[in-house]
Amino acid sequence: MIAQHTVFKDAVAEAHTRRALPLNPDCVVLNANILIDEIGHTEAMLSGSRAWAQSHDFSCQANSAKELVLARAQILVKCEVHTEFFSLTLSAPMADLATAKSLLASLAGAQGQVGHLISQCQINVMERDNGEAPCGSVSRQPNPSTAVKVWLNGRAHVLETDLLHHDDFVVYQLSVSRREPERIGRLAQRLLEIETYRNLAYLAVPMLHTLG
């Protein structure tokens, strides 16, 4: 069984120990993933992110061989090295959405020609009113095309997403009932992981069509 394989367990353990950005309601999370052409380019991408941070007045909150966390006022940025791709995540107040998208595009461009952009995702984190449906039910969104179930601390959260790319971003609506920054951040990170690997899986579709 794959779940009993040592490599699988190590990979899952690493994913669950990666830090999540703390999030509050009325914020937006943007994520972009770059498929790395050559494994050796990962350090170059972190170096490019560090240089970008200096030129955009971001301070460094965490810095390791696989992760870089940056901050400027209420905007947080996390750069992560994975085996096959480089992940860029940015959180900001909803009112700063335009600025956040501009910063993410600039950061992605700062990585040079070491890979190809494969996915962009946006999560709108909103506070749920008392009269709205509980967090475990589907959050309504215009023209939803698929539902995603995310497990966190033994609870299932079902979310719907609009896969009609709005401004080249797949958009999720995340409705939360309490201000728990760490918990909300972990839930958003799980959602981003699902979206990332969904797009990685799609990369194999053209080859499968060729093989018939």
Side-chain angles (χ1 to χ4, degrees):
M1 296 290 292
I2 188 171
Q4 297 175 336
H5 198 285
T6 304
V7 175
F8 178 81
K9 288 183 177 180
D10 291 344
V12 171
E14 181 185 355
H16 283 244
T17 56
R18 290 180 181 268
R19 75 180 70 224
L21 296 178
L23 302 174
N24 283 302
D26 199 30
C27 80
V28 62
V29 181
L30 302 177
N31 175 259
N33 291 295
I34 300 172
L35 188 66
I36 303 172
D37 290 340
E38 299 290 341
I39 300 300
H41 286 159
T42 55
E43 178 56 35
M45 299 184 87
L46 279 178
S47 298
S49 298
R50 294 187 188 101
W52 176 90
Q54 291 182 345
S55 64
H56 287 79
D57 298 322
F58 276 83
S59 62
C60 182
Q61 290 194 335
N63 189 359
S64 68
K66 291 188 175 183
E67 184 181 73
L68 182 66
V69 179
L70 310 168
R72 190 185 77 183
Q74 297 184 67
I75 299 177
L76 295 175
V77 176
K78 181 174 66 168
C79 308
E80 287 183 303
V81 173
H82 296 260
T83 304
E84 306 90 357
F85 62 93
F86 191 59
S87 179
L88 307 172
T89 305
L90 185 151
S91 70
M94 187 66 70
D96 294 332
L97 175 59
T99 299
K101 285 192 173 183
S102 177
L103 286 171
L104 183 66
S106 173
L107 178 56
Q111 309 311 319
Q113 303 298 316
V114 296
H116 298 85
L117 183 68
I118 57 170
S119 68
Q120 291 188 126
C121 179
Q122 173 181 332
I123 302 177
N124 300 325
V125 182
M126 312 298 292
E127 189 162 18
R128 176 171 61 85
D129 294 331
N130 291 333
E132 291 183 349
C135 191
S137 63
V138 174
S139 300
R140 296 298 175 187
Q141 190 170 327
N143 303 318
S145 56
T146 187
V148 175
K149 180 180 288 186
V150 182
W151 286 90
L152 184 73
N153 297 332
R155 284 190 60 192
H157 302 264
V158 183
L159 307 169
E160 284 192 351
T161 174
D162 182 1
L163 291 182
L164 299 175
H165 290 57
H166 174 69
D167 195 23
D168 293 326
F169 283 81
V170 174
V171 181
Y172 287 86
Q173 188 86 1
L174 178 58
S175 178
V176 296
S177 58
R178 295 187 299 274
R179 291 180 176 268
E180 299 176 313
E182 298 299 330
R183 182 173 176 274
I184 297 171
R186 183 63 62 183
L187 178 58
Q189 180 164 297
R190 290 286 178 271
L191 193 55
L192 290 176
E193 290 167 357
I194 291 172
E195 179 62 28
T196 298
Y197 285 100
R198 182 181 70 84
N199 280 280
L200 285 171
Y202 283 163
L203 294 178
V205 172
M207 181 183 67
L208 294 176
H209 284 168
T210 301
L211 296 175

